[in-house]
Amino acid sequence: MRVRLKLKTVFVFYFMVSLLGLIYALMQLGQRCDCRDYGESKDQQISQLRGELQKLQEHIKTSELSKISKPNLHAIYVITPTYARLVQKAELSRLSHTFLHVPRLHWIVVEDAAQPTPLVTDFLAASGLTYTHLHKLTPKDKKLQENDPSWLKPRGAEQRNEGLRWLRDMGAAAEGKEAAALEEAVVYFADDDNTYSLQLFEEMRYTNRVSVWPVGLVGGMKFESPVVQDGRVVRFHTGWRPNRPFPMDMAGFAVSLRLILSNPEACFDGDAQMGFLESSFLQHLVTMDDLEPKADLCTKVLVWHTRTEKPKMKREDALQRQGLGSDPDVEV
Ligand code: UDP
Ligand code: MN
């Protein structure tokens, strides 16, 4: 009897405690919790993460910038002679779009003109490139006339020399760090109508004296090229007068700026015999033994001596005679 009473008491007690626990739990469910502490720590976490995100974004931005400006890359100075004609803006557009992909490129555009023209001035200002705009008119007696065969006189010689003059003036004025950077730079002569691969610029970027490579579609050949044996240039693959000192096209070599600055007499001879313009310049700077073969030891064509067809204006001329020509105020 005593035992039974005790069991019953225990059972009732257990039941009561459970019931109270259940009631308390149900009451808690209905109540709003005090979330202040919880919220504060979340806010802190968010602002911490925001700070980290900002730091990361800044890091990405600076590394992207350094990718574009690449301060440690050697600079490439590209000298381009150009002259007014119907296709000029089209040629310059194509060229500038190539150059926009090349880091640390400084474009020296030399107009064959008595004054800088508005077309080239405006074009360069909008190009997004680092550039210098020069002009130098080819004297009449040195200029190819309308009906002269294209090989009679060299073209662009005066303008390339003007580009060299600008580089030498800049070299003379430079001091300290700036002068040291110029010593590392390279100079390339890029006509406005050729076609250039991007790889070409990385090949030439590290040039000790004069680097060389093949040029496609030139001299009546699929390509002309230095011939390399045991890592050295030993002769030239060309269809015409292979014994010229440097039987290479203008597009086939680049010269270190240091070499140009230390040989102030080196320039292009506008009166040079046909095919000797490149030699007239390079003779002052190197011998064949010094040439540095690039483009996989001169086995790859990375530049093409393309030429743009002169557009025919038969219908334009006919319409102009009737006073119905294209609006002359529209720049083409
Ligand atoms: N050029 C120039 N003045 C001229 C003819 C040509 O400045 O009267 C420039 C031309 O824009 C080009 C370079 O000189 O950048 C070589 O000219 P071109 O392409 O006509 O020569 P080729 O293709 O025969 O080597
Ligand atoms: Mn050309």
Side-chain angles (χ1 to χ4, degrees):
M1 182 75 182
R2 276 174 73 189
V3 174
R4 239 206 258 164
L5 195 76
K6 265 188 187 167
L7 261 176
K8 196 181 168 188
T9 313
V10 168
F11 185 75
V12 168
F13 181 73
Y14 174 77
F15 178 76
M16 292 298 286
V17 167
S18 298
L19 194 67
L20 279 172
L22 189 66
I23 289 166
Y24 180 76
L26 282 171
M27 277 166 62
Q28 286 298 311
L29 261 181
Q31 261 179 30
R32 291 180 57 206
C33 76
D34 185 357
C35 300
R36 240 178 317 158
D37 287 353
Y38 177 79
E40 255 171 31
S41 73
K42 274 283 166 218
D43 278 352
Q44 257 174 6
Q45 231 176 324
I46 287 169
S47 74
Q48 212 176 337
L49 284 172
R50 269 214 190 108
E52 271 169 41
L53 183 67
Q54 206 175 342
K55 262 191 231 156
L56 277 172
Q57 277 171 336
E58 259 155 40
H59 177 76
I60 290 168
K61 227 200 265 168
T62 50
S63 66
E64 281 295 317
L65 264 180
S66 72
K67 230 190 260 167
I68 296 163
S69 60
K70 291 201 173 164
N72 299 324
L73 279 187
H74 293 184
I76 302 175
Y77 288 90
V78 176
I79 299 179
T80 298
T82 188
Y83 69 111
R85 69 239 194 243
L86 276 170
V87 298
Q88 185 181 31
K89 197 174 180 184
E91 305 281 36
L92 294 177
S93 297
R94 211 153 46 97
L95 205 51
S96 72
H97 296 160
T98 301
F99 293 164
L100 280 169
H101 292 286
V102 183
R104 296 274 285 143
L105 185 148
H106 185 127
W107 196 13
I108 304 171
V109 179
V110 192
E111 283 197 76
D112 186 350
Q115 303 292 332
T117 63
L119 185 146
V120 176
T121 305
D122 296 347
F123 174 83
L124 287 173
S127 70
L129 285 160
T130 304
Y131 66 89
T132 298
H133 184 186
L134 307 172
H135 62 94
K136 178 88 185 189
L137 184 67
T138 307
K140 209 151 185 194
D141 58 311
K142 291 197 178 170
K143 191 142 179 133
L144 208 64
Q145 300 305 307
E146 182 74 21
N147 293 318
D148 286 348
S150 69
W151 47 262
L152 193 66
K153 285 180 188 129
R155 272 161 295 186
E158 304 284 320
Q159 292 71 35
R160 293 186 193 100
N161 286 337
E162 176 64 6
L164 290 172
R165 182 204 58 75
W166 183 85
L167 281 169
R168 285 172 174 138
D169 285 356
M170 182 187 59
E175 285 174 358
K177 247 184 168 175
E178 202 190 336
L182 288 182
E183 293 271 302
E184 313 263 43
V186 66
V187 180
Y188 182 54
F189 302 96
D191 290 354
D192 61 4
D193 56 343
N194 293 339
T195 306
Y196 306 89
S197 74
L198 298 179
Q199 180 58 29
L200 179 73
F201 298 94
E202 300 322 309
E203 296 288 329
M204 73 174 73
R205 196 182 292 280
Y206 299 97
T207 295
N208 281 317
R209 295 161 75 77
V210 175
S211 53
V212 293
W213 49 79
V215 177
L217 316 177
V218 72
M221 306 271 291
K222 278 161 78 179
F223 66 89
E224 286 186 345
S225 176
V227 177
V228 179
Q229 265 169 22
D230 300 327
R232 296 194 156 245
V233 177
V234 291
R235 59 191 168 84
F236 295 88
H237 172 64
T238 172
W240 187 75
R241 293 188 70 168
N243 293 327
R244 285 175 286 162
F246 294 95
M248 293 192 289
D249 186 76
M250 199 64 72
F253 63 89
V255 183
S256 94
L257 181 53
R258 180 182 28 79
L259 201 60
I260 286 172
L261 298 179
S262 58
N263 291 277
E265 74 288 357
C267 62
F268 292 94
D269 178 4
D271 296 321
Q273 236 183 302
M274 171 197 167
F276 283 77
L277 186 65
E278 292 81 357
S279 297
S280 74
F281 173 64
L282 289 171
Q283 268 171 331
H284 293 280
L285 302 172
V286 273
T287 62
M288 189 165 70
D289 294 341
D290 299 322
L291 299 177
E292 297 148 50
K294 302 284 185 182
D296 276 350
L297 298 174
C298 296
T299 60
K300 298 257 176 338
V301 174
L302 300 175
V303 54
W304 299 262
H305 186 260
T306 44
R307 305 191 72 207
T308 304
E309 187 184 356
K310 190 176 174 210
K312 295 181 180 68
M313 288 292 124
K314 216 170 86 186
R315 309 219 177 259
E316 182 72 47
D317 294 344
L319 283 175
Q320 265 177 18
R321 280 193 293 273
Q322 300 167 44
L324 296 169
S326 302
D327 184 347
D329 290 338
V330 174
E331 192 177 82
V332 179

